[in-house]
Amino acid sequence: MASLLLALIMIIRLRRIMDSRGRTIYMETMFPLYSLFGFIVLHMLMYAIDIFYWRKYRVNYAFIFGFKPGTELGYREVLLLSFGLGTLALAAVLCNLDMEMDPKTKDYKAFTELLPLLLVLVVLIILFLPFKILYRTNRFFFLTCLFHSICAPLYKVTLPDFFLADQLTSQVQAIRSLEFYVCYYGWGDFKHRENKCRDSNVFATFYFIVAVLPYMARLLQCLRRLFEERDPVQGYNGLKYFLTIVAVCLRTAYYVNTGIGWRVIVGIVSAIAAIFCTYWDFVYDWGLLNRQSKNRWLRDKLLVPHKYIYFGAMGLNVVLRFAWLQTVLNFKFDLHRETLATLVASLEIIRRGVWNFFRLENEHLNNVGKYRAFKSVPLPFNYDEDDDKDD
């Protein structure tokens, strides 16, 4: 994959593709199609890193997620899948760039425009493949959790379900890319390499809808747990996702209709939602910011021996949480709009990867989600539990 990435950079540089007159057309058509695979591969890479450090610090992620014994994927398997998908995507990009970007040139062929769609179909076929190959148990586990998340609140909420729904909230741009697939290929724009999607009211409407679907799933999951467990914390958690839905809708509206009034409203609401979400990350999801803890401002039990890692993770979370500010404040970057949106989405995926490690560490130590039984269940803690024994 590294060699293909290097080849792609060299082709773009040597042919001066980004300086050609077809640059704008390409960035508004093919780039959103291929960026989908970039989001997926990046998320898988972050998940592989999480698995590596979960194992290093003996976080029993297999037990917490409820995998069948011996079926959980290690970081090597996840890296294999991510590199495989990345290689296919880069190979398709190189095939597409083997022609001129100007649609009027004689080298233009409609088949090259179908390469991203064909790759998506290949991924879907592999995902739903019923045979005992390519980690069938894990694929079906993923599809089951995905189905439960989509159908919320019809199913009882388990930790894998809401954990996956949280991952989807960091893949809003990828879901919008899927919407673009439907528009671009469904309306036949690919035959002429034209993008009329953004001129459609239907596309604009669904641009709002698909952005809030993951947050709506989490909101409904919180309401289901509030109804079943009578835990007011789930109500506050649902309020967090409701505020996020409002902020996402306003930011999407601002993306379509810019103006000073929209900018002020979006800035205020988004700041409130981001502050609420950041506080929730630290206090409830990570179990930190405890002033009474023997590890001041952290928590009593820590798996990572270096405390500065936790403070660094909190600082990074804040910075990445507010990366969306550039869309409101209109910072000047010499980047295409699609490139900037992809960069911000990638930062959110990275933030989610960091969040994953500390969220599961807290679950492992403190049973935050109340899904594991008791401390009599043998878990591979790496600290002395004598202080926790009853007198």
Side-chain angles (χ1 to χ4, degrees), residues 201-342:
N201 292 329
V202 175
F203 182 86
T205 300
F206 277 93
Y207 200 74
F208 279 87
I209 296 175
V210 299
V212 303
L213 286 179
Y215 300 102
M216 182 61 69
R218 282 296 289 122
L219 173 60
L220 294 176
Q221 287 177 340
C222 291
L223 294 178
R224 170 75 184 242
R225 292 186 63 185
L226 175 64
F227 177 78
E228 290 184 343
E229 303 172 14
R230 307 296 181 182
D231 185 0
V233 173
Q234 296 304 320
Y236 299 134
N237 198 14
L239 176 62
K240 178 190 72 173
Y241 288 105
F242 175 77
L243 289 175
T244 305
I245 290 173
V246 175
V248 169
C249 288
L250 288 176
R251 289 208 296 269
T252 305
Y254 175 73
Y255 183 78
V256 178
N257 302 301
T258 58
I260 297 298
W262 278 108
R263 182 184 301 181
V264 173
I265 296 175
V266 171
I268 294 175
V269 176
S270 296
I272 294 174
I275 292 173
F276 193 175
C277 292
T278 302
Y279 175 81
W280 195 275
D281 287 344
F282 295 161
V283 176
Y284 291 93
D285 290 339
W286 293 0
L288 305 177
L289 294 184
N290 184 359
R291 289 184 298 176
Q292 307 302 322
S293 171
K294 61 183 180 181
N295 300 304
R296 190 166 180 80
W297 295 110
L298 299 178
R299 58 174 121 82
D300 290 336
K301 302 170 184 176
L302 304 173
L303 293 183
V304 181
H306 305 292
K307 297 180 183 179
Y308 67 85
I309 297 294
Y310 294 90
F311 291 108
M314 286 191 287
L316 182 63
N317 186 282
V318 172
V319 172
L320 297 182
R321 271 281 186 192
F322 285 86
W324 54 266
L325 271 175
Q326 63 80 26
T327 61
V328 179
L329 300 179
N330 290 329
F331 296 139
K332 299 300 180 181
F333 295 102
D334 188 20
L335 296 172
H336 190 275
R337 181 177 62 178
E338 292 293 342
T339 304
L340 195 57
T342 301

Side-chain angles (χ1 to χ4, degrees), residues 34-200:
Y34 284 114
S35 63
L36 169 66
F37 304 105
F39 296 139
I40 297 175
V41 170
L42 178 59
H43 211 129
M44 294 176 69
L45 290 176
M46 294 302 300
Y47 182 60
I49 295 173
D50 286 330
I51 293 177
F52 176 82
Y53 283 103
W54 285 333
R55 287 189 170 184
K56 179 177 180 180
Y57 295 108
R58 304 180 68 186
V59 175
N60 199 352
Y61 71 96
F63 180 72
I64 295 173
F65 284 139
F67 292 124
K68 294 181 180 178
T71 63
E72 72 277 5
L73 295 182
Y75 68 92
R76 291 183 179 89
E77 290 81 4
V78 178
L79 286 176
L80 176 63
L81 292 174
S82 60
F83 287 156
L85 179 59
T87 299
L88 290 176
L90 286 173
V93 172
L94 287 172
C95 291
N96 185 267
L97 286 179
D98 195 37
M99 61 175 181
E100 293 292 336
M101 296 176 63
D102 191 340
K104 296 180 180 180
T105 60
K106 61 181 180 180
D107 292 330
Y108 170 76
K109 294 181 180 180
F111 175 75
T112 58
E113 304 297 299
L114 290 173
L115 288 177
L117 179 62
L118 293 176
L119 186 54
V120 168
L121 293 177
V122 169
V123 172
L124 291 177
I125 290 173
I126 293 176
L127 187 61
F128 288 93
L129 202 64
F131 306 112
K132 290 185 177 181
I133 57 175
L134 296 173
Y135 313 115
R136 186 184 71 166
T137 301
N138 301 92
R139 288 188 285 110
F140 281 19
F141 183 87
F142 170 79
L143 291 174
T144 300
C145 295
L146 180 62
F147 181 76
H148 289 172
S149 299
I150 294 175
C151 295
L154 301 180
Y155 290 88
K156 181 177 177 63
V157 182
T158 61
L159 189 145
D161 295 340
F162 76 70
F163 191 86
L164 178 59
D166 274 326
Q167 308 308 303
L168 295 178
T169 60
S170 297
Q171 286 285 1
V172 170
Q173 201 63 28
I175 299 174
R176 283 173 168 170
S177 295
L178 290 175
E179 178 196 2
F180 186 75
Y181 267 87
V182 175
C183 173
Y184 187 65
Y185 291 107
W187 293 354
D189 288 351
F190 74 97
K191 297 179 181 179
H192 309 286
R193 201 190 303 163
E194 296 178 353
N195 177 11
K196 299 179 181 178
C197 296
R198 303 190 187 280
D199 299 330
S200 169

